[in-house]
Amino acid sequence: MSSDETLSSVLDLCRRLPPQNVEANLDTLVSILPDLADDLLSSVDQPLKVQTDSSGREYLVCDYNGDGDSYRSPWTNQYDPSLADGTSPSAKLRALEVAMNEAFDVYRDVYFEGGVSSVYLWDLDDGFAGVVLLKKSNDAKGASATWDSVHVFEASERQRVAHYKLTSTVMLYMVQGGGPNSTSEVALGGSMTRQDDVDAPHDSSSTANNTSSHISNVGRFIEGMEIKMRNLLQDVYFSKTKDVVSSLRSSAGFAEGKKRNALQGELVGLLRGKAAAASA
């Protein structure tokens, strides 16, 4: 098997493993396939981690804002631990990054009612690219859940139109039970990746209009993508899980099930009668 085929198979395997165990799984895979270490670490999304910068603000860390063991805060634009030659966006792009962080902080509060968000931008030869990170964890009595979303986008300006490419990944996992006094645990998790691109009106007549246009366009694009992926998770994956459980053990009692079957039989009889009358 060629290295490309091996990498494709390993990535396919990673997509089917629980996202909460991705770090341990990656360590195991890298130890088995050291030649593919760089490709694996750059291709597999890992659960987001939260750090606190020198100003006391929380931010999310990932490969996009990291340089070695140091990570740049979107609020202070400083690396922790301190890094003298760390990569930072240009002054113009940094101003847009600050504005996007403020905008998505509001987005986070509206849609997630908590959690942490971070936006990082970097310069490209033809435009710029960025990543929007969102994380929400909820620990209730006997249960915990985490939502991680990673939205990587590229933006290029074409006169009065801007073209955006977006790759979105959502990692969701929930654990019921498993506490110190629990004898059982049920874990449900998975990840989903979707891609899309769009052209949107863009006003570059001034710095303020340029910033406003990009924030509005990227915000709507990511908002729409998250809503689609949220609905897919609800309607496809969770509904499928419910159907599988119901096929194993009915949640209705015997009397209720018998009543429902009788009603179904009565409806089938009525439909057959109507069909027979129509064909006569």
Side-chain angles (χ1 to χ4, degrees):
M1 182 181 292
S2 67
S3 59
D4 289 342
E5 292 175 331
T6 302
L7 177 62
S8 178
S9 298
V10 172
L11 293 176
D12 190 51
L13 173 63
C14 289
R15 284 191 289 268
R16 286 164 169 74
L17 294 174
Q20 62 268 35
N21 300 331
V22 67
E23 291 179 282
N25 294 332
L26 270 179
D27 289 340
T28 301
L29 291 169
V30 167
S31 66
I32 297 173
L33 302 166
D35 294 340
L36 298 178
D38 291 340
D39 292 324
L40 286 173
L41 293 174
S42 63
S43 301
V44 178
D45 290 303
Q46 301 185 46
L48 302 171
K49 295 182 179 179
V50 181
Q51 288 191 182
T52 305
D53 61 23
S54 57
S55 68
R57 294 289 298 267
E58 290 185 329
Y59 65 100
L60 298 170
V61 301
C62 64
D63 290 339
Y64 297 102
N65 70 314
D67 193 333
D69 295 327
S70 297
Y71 294 93
R72 182 173 66 89
S73 166
W75 308 110
T76 64
N77 201 30
Q78 296 175 351
Y79 279 86
D80 182 25
S82 181
L83 194 65
D85 57 348
T87 304
S88 297
S90 61
K92 179 181 178 181
L93 196 61
R94 171 59 185 162
L96 177 59
E97 183 182 74
V98 171
M100 277 196 166
N101 271 284
E102 293 173 351
F104 275 97
D105 194 44
V106 175
Y107 173 92
R108 170 202 57 76
D109 188 54
V110 170
Y111 278 100
F112 293 86
E113 298 181 351
V116 184
S117 65
S118 294
V119 181
Y120 302 102
L121 305 180
W122 57 93
D123 296 276
L124 297 177
D125 293 336
D126 180 24
F128 68 94
V131 61
V132 177
L133 309 173
L134 295 152
K135 183 181 185 71
K136 172 67 180 293
S137 295
N138 184 23
D139 294 321
K141 186 176 181 181
S144 63
T146 298
W147 170 291
D148 288 340
S149 53
V150 180
H151 304 279
V152 183
F153 67 91
E154 292 183 12
S156 57
E157 300 173 11
R158 303 171 182 173
Q159 296 180 349
R160 295 184 179 181
V161 175
H163 183 70
Y164 301 92
K165 296 179 181 179
L166 177 65
T167 300
S168 297
T169 299
V170 169
M171 291 169 282
L172 176 66
Y173 53 93
M174 298 173 289
V175 178
Q176 176 70 40
N181 299 321
S182 176
T183 58
S184 62
E185 176 182 288
V186 176
L188 177 64
S191 64
M192 176 191 297
T193 299
R194 293 292 184 271
Q195 293 180 321
D196 199 2
D197 64 279
V198 67
D199 290 320
H202 177 68
D203 184 358
S204 58
S205 59
S206 67
T207 301
N209 290 340
N210 179 70
T211 298
S212 178
S213 291
H214 281 307
I215 290 176
S216 177
N217 292 336
V218 173
R220 281 197 297 264
F221 200 11
I222 290 178
E223 179 185 37
M225 180 65 82
E226 280 211 330
I227 290 174
K228 290 178 183 177
M229 297 178 78
R230 166 66 176 79
N231 291 338
L232 276 173
L233 287 168
Q234 175 68 35
D235 298 336
V236 178
Y237 294 93
F238 291 140
S239 294
K240 183 63 177 178
T241 301
K242 183 178 179 180
D243 290 343
V244 171
V245 173
S246 297
S247 69
L248 297 174
R249 171 63 167 88
S250 173
S251 60
F254 176 76
E256 184 178 347
K258 186 176 180 180
K259 182 179 179 181
R260 184 174 63 245
N261 291 335
L263 179 60
Q264 290 176 348
E266 184 178 349
L267 289 173
V268 170
L270 289 172
L271 290 173
R272 286 177 177 173
K274 287 184 177 181
S279 62

